[in-house]
Amino acid sequence: MSRDAVESLLVEKKHKDLSYKRVLSSMCTYPHEIAAYAHNMFLESNLGDSGLFPGTKEMETELIRMIGALLGRENVYGYLSTGGTESNIQAIRAIRNRRKRAGLREMNIIVPETAHFSFDKIADILCVDVKKATLDDALRVDVNSVEELIDANTICVVGIAGTTEFGQIDPIKELSAITQENDLFLHVDAAFGGFVIPFLAEKDRYQFDFTLDGVSCVSVDPHKMGMSTIPTGCILFRENSYLDELEVSTPYLTTHGQSSLTGTRSGASTAATFAVFKYLGQEGLRAIVTECMRLTRLLVQGAKAKGIRPEIEPVMNVVTLSIDEVDRAAVALKAKGWEVSTTRKPKALRLVIMPHVTEETVKLFLEDLVDVI
Amino acid sequence: MSRDAVESLLVEKKHKDLSYKRVLSSMCTYPHEIAAYAHNMFLESNLGDSGLFPGTKEMETELIRMIGALLGRENVYGYLSTGGTESNIQAIRAIRNRRKRAGLREMNIIVPETAHFSFDKIADILCVDVKKATLDDALRVDVNSVEELIDANTICVVGIAGTTEFGQIDPIKELSAITQENDLFLHVDAAFGGFVIPFLAEKDRYQFDFTLDGVSCVSVDPHKMGMSTIPTGCILFRENSYLDELEVSTPYLTTHGQSSLTGTRSGASTAATFAVFKYLGQEGLRAIVTECMRLTRLLVQGAKAKGIRPEIEPVMNVVTLSIDEVDRAAVALKAKGWEVSTTRKPKALRLVIMPHVTEETVKLFLEDLVDVI
């Protein structure tokens, strides 16, 4: 095909993809312009063979420190993954391998009912059982339920800092105490919340990171609220030795071992993340979160003014609205060009107020919402 | 940081990364210019939520057919993964899950001694044993050794079409017969060879793909010889039902189930792969392979002229040279600016002649090689 023909074909496909403009269902967004710039500049870089790309490797090393510092501990160990699922797999795999070496055979982990569906995938992949703890009235994990589920084969408790469905934060401080008491690994899935909570005005209410002694591992996704490019996740361990549990030796590469799940690994998205962090800094990231939270409150206030209640007062930029016939409403909203999603239990309309959402969008959406219900 | 300062910092890091120009150790290369163009155009596309990106999804669907057709069967089922490791994990996971549902508990797979190190990772992740079959004199897997290793717990045989170390092709036709006879799953790891073998002049000598009835699954990496961007692998199953073995349900997304390993998944690299295939077509890909093979022969002839023998006559664009004190030679070559690697058994100097290698590069390399030995 000619160059022109290929370009036309790509444009045709691009027109079929939605723009994020009216997408209120996704935790992804447009990458920051400087992320796109850096991604393109390092497009051929492969962190799976980092001896060839020492410049990219330096960026990854510095990012681990920077993200660690944001999450309460500069001195952490990890790498930039493909996203939350890989990070969650690796967290559970690290502690599973350690306990396996100690002779444990049947193992289970305890996750909140609200945990991301990737934990079902992980249970399947890693051959561990998943026990699901119930929630309190505010849709946070019930710590009593977690305690009751612990048995001799439990290796890990998972807490969520920013649940996918409700944007709620589990009581990580209490989980930290429980896991320390029971000598268990505590993994905090902060894929969404890790780049939100540190910038909330009420952040002191939500301890969730390495400042809590019981937290063994945190995952956070730069390709969600970190404004970086897909695929970029990040997994951080308090102790370096957990990376050893994941390591395989790598003949015929410029390095001797590899702790990542994938082999070849994008250096471009690492460069993109590095560029965003350097350019925006914590203040720039805070400004983005502050605006998302302003629009979140605007949406909730607008909904309340129309007599629609939120399931919980939003903790972060996720809004869940309690409406009748929510599936019918979601279809009707889709017909008006909105992408929305629904939660399972309780059943509600779910809206994520990502950085691509504007005040205008919120107002237009509220008008259409009133129309359809 | 100011925009200018970030750009300067990125340039500084970029200068520390190597250019591929003198890299003879990697199976990655510069993506084709049209791949970079398409990647950039679809940078925010997420195939993990493909309802938002139907244009990107169309490209993936068409690519599966196109790559399937190149590998002997248009009517195959799969997706674009992050690379060879994910594809290999998913192949083994699919058959493991099927056998597990049938009640099998302890399971093993048989791989050649030359299999990529990702199979050690996979054994660890998926809790299956890996048995390693010995090689014949030409460094292909010994089919007798494979047959001897089969037991009641064997679920899968892996054949390699383009071994990482030697670029050799296992006797897949014989493996196909054995696996059919024993009702075993046959996975062909063609991460490197899948986009080389179909374009070799001697291709009829190497049946390795879905034209063989016993082949259940093939993995091939567009980010290696497919000139696409990182991360892009591809996993293809003969039967759709194997994708079901990998599926988890996905609430709060625009789709209902997901068979990929990762959740959020780059649509950009799918667009990049699509653009390369449309632009180059099979004839364009053939031209690239033909030139790599011409330079491979040139290198081997040059080496022979200096009295250096290859370990095997190159089958594809991987050269292994039998020299004394190979580690010392590799270090000396590195000091002269070359990135080379070594094989383990037999110990040899290993060179991959990727599309970034030119005739000039081969000549300069030969001069330096003679210098250091």
Side-chain angles (χ1 to χ4, degrees):
Chain A
M1 244 187 200
S2 73
R3 171 81 196 210
D4 281 354
V6 175
E7 287 188 16
S8 300
L9 188 55
L10 290 171
V11 168
E12 184 194 303
K13 300 295 183 188
K14 185 74 186 172
H15 282 150
K16 292 184 181 175
D17 282 357
L18 303 191
S19 109
Y20 275 109
K21 214 174 153 195
R22 286 177 155 237
V23 171
L24 302 174
S25 62
S26 176
M27 287 183 155
C28 288
T29 188
Y30 293 111
H32 192 284
E33 189 276 327
I34 207 161
Y37 175 88
H39 189 102
N40 196 44
M41 187 169 174
F42 287 82
L43 196 58
E44 74 277 15
S45 171
N46 169 19
L47 276 173
D49 199 3
S50 59
L52 302 180
F53 304 99
T56 313
K57 184 67 195 169
E58 278 181 15
M59 290 191 278
E60 181 177 48
T61 304
E62 191 174 338
L63 268 172
I64 295 298
R65 269 206 312 277
M66 283 161 67
I67 299 175
L70 180 67
L71 300 178
R73 189 179 172 90
E74 202 178 7
N75 193 23
V76 288
Y77 306 89
Y79 70 93
L80 293 198
S81 71
T82 53
T85 301
E86 174 177 347
S87 299
N88 287 337
I89 292 173
Q90 295 287 77
I92 308 301
R93 184 178 159 221
I95 182 63
R96 184 204 66 175
N97 284 4
R98 177 157 301 182
R99 294 287 178 259
K100 195 191 242 177
R101 281 197 298 108
L104 203 59
R105 283 293 161 265
E106 304 288 313
M107 296 183 232
N108 67 63
I109 65 173
I110 299 170
V111 309
E113 267 181 10
T114 41
H116 187 258
F117 64 81
S118 67
F119 285 97
D120 295 322
K121 212 187 265 187
I122 290 164
D124 171 64
I125 291 170
L126 297 177
C127 311
V128 297
D129 286 332
V130 172
K131 297 187 181 189
K132 296 196 177 171
T134 56
L135 309 180
D136 66 17
D137 290 345
L139 305 175
R140 296 171 306 186
V141 75
D142 179 340
V143 291
N144 293 320
S145 172
V146 171
E147 273 200 295
E148 282 163 19
L149 289 173
I150 293 171
D151 65 26
N153 295 326
T154 302
I155 58 171
C156 172
V157 171
V158 175
I160 317 285
T163 60
T164 310
E165 286 184 283
F166 299 96
Q168 184 52 284
I169 304 167
D170 285 329
I172 310 291
K173 192 175 175 182
E174 284 76 3
L175 294 179
S176 170
I178 292 173
T179 50
Q180 282 197 289
E181 218 167 274
N182 291 276
D183 194 24
L184 295 172
F185 188 94
L186 175 56
H187 171 54
V188 176
D189 179 350
F192 188 72
F195 293 138
V196 177
I197 306 168
F199 306 119
L200 293 176
E202 317 78 8
K203 77 178 170 64
D204 292 341
R205 233 190 271 166
Y206 308 110
Q207 263 192 290
F208 76 104
D209 59 14
F210 288 108
T211 52
L212 297 167
D213 288 341
V215 171
S216 318
C217 181
V218 179
S219 79
V220 56
D221 281 3
H223 68 203
K224 294 190 172 89
M225 284 294 288
M227 307 291 287
S228 187
T229 52
I230 296 167
T232 332
C234 177
I235 173 141
L236 302 174
F237 292 99
R238 183 185 293 272
E239 292 172 28
N240 196 17
S241 63
Y242 282 109
L243 284 176
D244 300 338
E245 302 288 350
L246 304 173
E247 190 169 308
V248 294
S249 71
T250 51
Y252 41 80
L253 291 186
T254 51
T255 53
H256 297 295
Q258 189 173 86
S259 295
S260 57
L261 189 69
T262 65
T264 300
R265 177 159 78 88
S266 170
S269 54
T270 293
T273 308
F274 181 81
V276 172
F277 273 70
K278 286 291 179 186
Y279 183 64
L280 292 179
Q282 293 203 10
E283 285 323 298
L285 290 168
R286 183 187 311 280
I288 289 168
V289 168
T290 302
E291 175 65 1
C292 289
M293 290 308 297
R294 185 181 76 81
L295 297 178
T296 297
R297 282 188 294 269
L298 199 70
L299 176 56
V300 171
Q301 282 157 12
K304 283 179 178 173
K306 312 289 185 185
I308 306 165
R309 310 294 307 173
E311 283 295 339
I312 59 167
E313 282 302 321
V315 172
M316 49 186 73
N317 45 330
V318 179
V319 174
T320 47
L321 299 177
S322 171
I323 57 176
D324 291 337
E325 298 185 85
V326 59
D327 287 328
R328 193 197 53 77
V331 170
L333 285 165
K334 193 172 167 64
K336 286 179 178 280
W338 299 101
E339 287 292 330
V340 297
S341 61
T342 59
T343 61
R344 291 167 293 177
K345 195 183 147 191
K347 191 89 181 166
L349 191 69
R350 170 181 173 267
L351 311 157
V352 191
I353 311 305
M354 292 297 290
H356 57 259
V357 177
T358 64
E359 187 163 334
E360 178 73 5
T361 309
V362 169
K363 287 179 179 164
L364 290 172
F365 176 76
L366 277 169
E367 286 170 21
D368 283 344
L369 178 64
V370 171
D371 264 11
V372 306
I373 62 175
Chain B
M1 243 187 201
S2 73
R3 171 83 196 209
D4 280 355
V6 175
E7 287 188 17
S8 300
L9 187 56
L10 290 171
V11 168
E12 185 194 303
K13 300 295 183 187
K14 184 75 186 172
H15 281 150
K16 291 184 181 174
D17 282 357
L18 303 191
S19 109
Y20 276 108
K21 213 174 154 195
R22 288 180 152 235
V23 171
L24 302 174
S25 62
S26 176
M27 287 183 156
C28 290
T29 187
Y30 293 110
H32 193 283
E33 190 276 326
I34 207 162
Y37 175 87
H39 189 104
N40 196 44
M41 188 170 176
F42 287 82
L43 195 58
E44 74 277 15
S45 171
N46 169 21
L47 276 173
D49 199 2
S50 60
L52 302 180
F53 304 99
T56 313
K57 183 67 195 170
E58 277 182 14
M59 290 191 279
E60 182 177 46
T61 304
E62 190 173 339
L63 267 173
I64 296 300
R65 269 207 313 278
M66 283 162 67
I67 298 176
L70 180 68
L71 301 177
R73 189 180 171 90
E74 203 177 8
N75 193 21
V76 288
Y77 307 90
Y79 71 93
L80 293 197
S81 70
T82 53
T85 300
E86 175 177 346
S87 298
N88 287 338
I89 291 173
Q90 295 288 77
I92 307 302
R93 184 177 157 221
I95 183 63
R96 185 205 65 175
N97 284 3
R98 177 157 300 181
R99 294 287 177 260
K100 195 191 243 177
R101 280 196 300 109
L104 202 60
R105 283 292 160 266
E106 303 288 314
M107 296 183 233
N108 68 63
I109 65 173
I110 299 170
V111 308
E113 266 180 10
T114 41
H116 187 257
F117 64 82
S118 67
F119 285 97
D120 295 322
K121 216 187 263 187
I122 291 165
D124 172 65
I125 291 170
L126 297 178
C127 310
V128 298
D129 285 333
V130 172
K131 297 187 182 190
K132 296 196 177 174
T134 56
L135 309 180
D136 67 14
D137 289 346
L139 305 175
R140 296 171 306 187
V141 74
D142 179 339
V143 291
N144 293 320
S145 171
V146 171
E147 273 201 294
E148 282 163 19
L149 288 173
I150 294 172
D151 64 27
N153 296 325
T154 301
I155 58 171
C156 172
V157 171
V158 175
I160 317 285
T163 60
T164 311
E165 286 184 285
F166 299 96
Q168 183 54 284
I169 303 168
D170 285 329
I172 310 290
K173 193 174 175 183
E174 285 76 3
L175 294 179
S176 170
I178 291 174
T179 51
Q180 282 197 290
E181 217 167 274
N182 292 275
D183 193 24
L184 294 172
F185 188 93
L186 175 56
H187 171 54
V188 177
D189 179 350
F192 188 72
F195 293 138
V196 177
I197 304 168
F199 307 119
L200 292 177
E202 317 79 6
K203 75 177 169 65
D204 293 340
R205 230 188 274 168
Y206 308 110
Q207 264 193 290
F208 76 104
D209 59 15
F210 288 108
T211 52
L212 297 168
D213 288 341
V215 171
S216 318
C217 182
V218 179
S219 79
V220 55
D221 281 2
H223 68 202
K224 292 190 172 91
M225 284 295 289
M227 308 291 287
S228 186
T229 52
I230 296 167
T232 333
C234 176
I235 173 140
L236 301 174
F237 293 99
R238 183 185 294 271
E239 292 172 27
N240 196 15
S241 62
Y242 282 109
L243 284 177
D244 300 338
E245 303 287 351
L246 303 173
E247 190 170 306
V248 294
S249 72
T250 52
Y252 43 78
L253 291 186
T254 51
T255 52
H256 297 296
Q258 189 174 86
S259 296
S260 57
L261 188 70
T262 64
T264 301
R265 179 158 79 87
S266 171
S269 53
T270 292
T273 308
F274 181 79
V276 171
F277 273 70
K278 286 290 177 186
Y279 183 64
L280 291 180
Q282 293 203 11
E283 285 322 298
L285 289 167
R286 183 186 311 278
I288 289 169
V289 169
T290 302
E291 175 65 2
C292 288
M293 290 309 296
R294 186 181 75 83
L295 296 179
T296 297
R297 283 188 292 270
L298 198 70
L299 176 57
V300 171
Q301 281 158 11
K304 284 179 176 171
K306 312 290 185 182
I308 306 165
R309 310 294 308 174
E311 282 296 339
I312 59 168
E313 281 302 321
V315 172
M316 48 186 73
N317 45 331
V318 179
V319 175
T320 47
L321 299 176
S322 171
I323 58 176
D324 292 337
E325 297 185 86
V326 58
D327 288 328
R328 194 197 52 76
V331 169
L333 285 164
K334 193 172 167 62
K336 286 179 179 280
W338 298 101
E339 286 292 329
V340 297
S341 61
T342 58
T343 60
R344 291 167 294 177
K345 195 182 148 193
K347 191 91 180 164
L349 191 68
R350 169 181 173 268
L351 312 158
V352 190
I353 310 306
M354 293 298 290
H356 58 258
V357 176
T358 64
E359 186 162 336
E360 176 73 6
T361 309
V362 169
K363 287 179 178 166
L364 289 173
F365 176 76
L366 278 168
E367 286 170 21
D368 283 343
L369 178 64
V370 171
D371 264 11
V372 306
I373 63 174

